[in-house]
């Protein structure tokens, strides 16, 4: 069953300059992204910093307003909803942010932080909410006495567990996890990832998992989408993508993943040049200035996102 369907999602930011602040250009943060997400599935979005991963996740939840496109959640168009309709749907769509400290109010206790979503959605009475807070802390591996503490009294891993507990407070169906382990130590990353997997099995959750760490994505995701300059350039089941990547950019990304065995060497794909500015996206294929296999057609015509094999989609003229 398809839980989330994203159709031609775009998010542009206007650039203004000059004496009168006239529009002088557009930053194409997300440019025509489409994908589906089935119930109980984990879809990973990967790519270099600035490729539009986080903006895509926030646009889906309308934490920032998309410029164009549709986001269908259980068949309902999120982008066309009023504020009141969106408030009700947000109970089913929650987010875990990258920085666990910045996303928690330093003036509130953990108990108040976890109670707030329940109050907003009118889920229970005060006594029941306090009991629910204790249950949530237990679920994410913390103790009941932690409820009286403030965010600054916890480690980074513990704060991220609190962020996960807050997302679970209203029993969501979809969680957008925006680089939830990138700010944590490696030893803590595995604990949080295992927690996310346990919670998914226990509560039948669906994840959109945003990350730049390809090893983490392979561990937790079922399918993986690769983004470049605001566009989705490859989408496939993880084994298909990691074993036989079809886009040159995906091949370069995977070649950079270190092998945890001393003395073992691998062939690296070294990309030339820098990532172009999103204000001046190259014509045709956005990747062609750095592509080692560039052809004349790549400079002129934008490749379409086509199916190549079983559940494997790629936007490349080579395929």
């Amino acid at each position: 069953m398809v839980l989330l369907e994203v159709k031609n999602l775009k998010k542009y930011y206007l650039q203004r300059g000059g004496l009168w602040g006239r529009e002088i250009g557009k930053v194409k943060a997300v440019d025509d992204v489409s994908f589906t997400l089935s119930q109980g599935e984990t879809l990973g979005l990967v790519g270099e910093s600035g490729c539009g991963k986080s903006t895509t996740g926030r646009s889906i939840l309308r934490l920032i307003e998309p410029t164009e496109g549709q986001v269908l959640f259980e068949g309902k168009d999120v982008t066309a909803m009023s504020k009141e309709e969106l408030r009700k749907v947000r109970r089913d769509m929650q987010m875990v942010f990258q920085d666990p400290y910045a996303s928690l109010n330093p003036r509130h206790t953990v108990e108040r932080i976890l109670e707030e979503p329940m109050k907003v959605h009118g889920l229970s009475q005060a006594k029941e909410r306090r009991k629910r807070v204790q249950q949530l802390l237990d679920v994410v591996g913390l103790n009941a006495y932690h409820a009286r503490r403030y965010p600054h009294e916890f480690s980074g891993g513990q704060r991220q567990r609190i962020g996960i507990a807050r997302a679970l407070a209203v029993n969501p169906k979809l969680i957008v996890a925006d680089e939830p382990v990138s700010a944590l130590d490696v030893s803590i990353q595995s604990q949080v990832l295992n927690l996310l997997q346990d919670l998914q099995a226990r509560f039948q959750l669906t994840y959109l998992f945003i990350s730049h760490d390809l090893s983490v994505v392979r561990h937790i995701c079922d399918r993986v989408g690769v983004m470049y300059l605001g566009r989705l350039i490859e989408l496939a089941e993880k084994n298909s993508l990691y074993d036989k990547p079809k886009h040159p950019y995906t091949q370069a990304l995977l070649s950079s993943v270190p092998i945890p065995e001393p003395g073992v060497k691998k062939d690296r794909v070294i990309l030339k040049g820098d990532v172009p500015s999103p204000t001046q996206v190259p014509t045709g294929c956005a990747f062609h200035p750095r592509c080692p296999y560039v052809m004349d057609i790549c400079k002129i015509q934008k490749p379409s996102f086509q199916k190549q094999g079983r559940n494997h989609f790629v936007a490349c003229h080579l395929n």
Side-chain angles (χ1 to χ4, degrees):
M1 174 184 170
V2 175
L3 182 70
L4 179 73
E5 185 175 4
V6 179
K7 295 181 178 180
N8 309 112
L9 186 67
K10 297 180 182 180
K11 178 58 183 177
Y12 296 166
Y13 293 97
L14 297 181
Q15 273 192 312
R16 299 188 182 275
L19 182 62
W20 306 107
R22 287 190 290 266
E23 180 184 336
I24 59 175
K26 292 179 180 178
V27 177
K28 298 181 178 181
V30 178
D31 191 15
D32 202 20
V33 168
S34 300
F35 60 85
T36 60
L37 185 54
S38 300
Q39 189 171 1
E41 183 185 26
T42 301
L43 172 64
L45 283 183
V46 302
E48 293 171 291
S49 296
C51 70
K53 308 183 297 295
S54 297
T55 305
T56 299
R58 291 168 183 257
S59 297
I60 288 171
L61 299 184
R62 277 185 65 185
L63 295 179
I64 55 177
E65 291 293 335
T67 304
E68 290 182 27
Q70 284 185 306
V71 177
L72 302 178
F73 181 76
E74 295 185 321
K76 300 176 183 178
D77 189 355
V78 175
T79 57
M81 290 180 178
S82 65
K83 289 185 178 181
E84 181 59 26
E85 291 173 326
L86 183 61
R87 188 183 68 84
K88 294 177 181 178
V89 172
R90 281 230 172 99
R91 176 182 171 181
D92 294 324
M93 305 169 69
Q94 291 291 307
M95 188 163 190
V96 176
F97 295 91
Q98 177 179 358
D99 188 343
Y101 191 65
S103 61
L104 301 177
N105 192 326
R107 297 183 178 182
H108 292 178
T109 62
V110 170
E111 182 175 51
R112 185 172 176 183
I113 288 171
L114 299 185
E115 278 190 347
E116 196 69 24
M118 293 182 267
K119 287 182 181 179
V120 169
H121 294 281
L123 296 184
S124 55
Q125 300 300 317
K127 186 176 180 180
E128 294 172 343
R129 287 197 298 267
R130 285 193 292 271
K131 184 178 180 181
R132 172 69 172 159
V133 167
Q134 294 178 357
Q135 292 173 344
L136 288 168
L137 290 173
D138 181 63
V139 162
V140 298
L142 297 175
N143 295 312
Y145 62 79
H146 286 136
R148 299 292 181 181
R149 295 185 179 180
Y150 291 85
H152 73 271
E153 299 180 77
F154 295 92
S155 66
Q158 289 174 320
R159 284 196 289 261
Q160 194 60 286
R161 288 172 186 267
I162 295 167
I164 294 169
R166 181 178 59 183
L168 293 174
V170 289
N171 297 316
K173 298 177 182 177
L174 169 70
I175 290 181
V176 177
D178 185 9
E179 304 206 34
V181 297
S182 64
L184 307 178
D185 293 336
V186 175
S187 59
I188 306 301
Q189 285 184 10
S190 60
Q191 296 176 18
V192 174
L193 289 173
N194 291 335
L195 172 63
L196 288 170
Q197 289 184 308
D198 292 342
L199 294 174
Q200 183 175 37
R202 183 172 176 179
F203 299 110
Q204 291 79 52
L205 297 171
T206 303
Y207 291 145
L208 177 62
F209 191 89
I210 298 167
S211 179
H212 62 270
D213 191 326
L214 292 162
S215 300
V216 168
V217 168
R218 186 169 195 174
H219 175 72
I220 196 171
C221 295
D222 302 307
R223 286 189 301 145
V224 182
V226 182
M227 292 188 67
Y228 185 79
L229 276 182
R231 299 175 183 175
L232 198 60
I233 59 171
E234 190 162 5
L235 177 65
E237 295 178 357
K238 68 175 180 182
N239 290 333
S240 176
L241 185 126
Y242 279 79
D243 295 340
K244 294 182 179 180
K246 297 183 180 296
H247 198 285
Y249 177 65
T250 309
Q251 295 168 6
L253 283 182
L254 292 176
S255 75
S256 67
V257 178
I259 299 176
E261 295 182 24
V264 176
K265 295 183 178 180
K266 63 187 298 187
D267 294 331
R268 287 287 311 275
V269 178
I270 307 298
L271 298 178
K272 298 180 180 179
D274 298 322
V275 180
S277 169
T279 62
Q280 296 177 335
V281 178
T283 57
C285 175
F287 184 62
H288 85 255
R290 306 173 71 196
C291 182
Y293 312 108
V294 63
M295 303 179 292
D296 290 338
I297 191 174
C298 302
K299 303 175 183 179
I300 304 170
Q301 183 178 332
K302 178 182 176 181
S304 57
F305 202 59
Q306 295 182 338
K307 188 173 184 179
Q308 299 287 335
R310 184 175 178 272
N311 296 326
H312 200 136
F313 298 83
V314 62
C316 183
H317 291 298
L318 291 171
N319 297 279

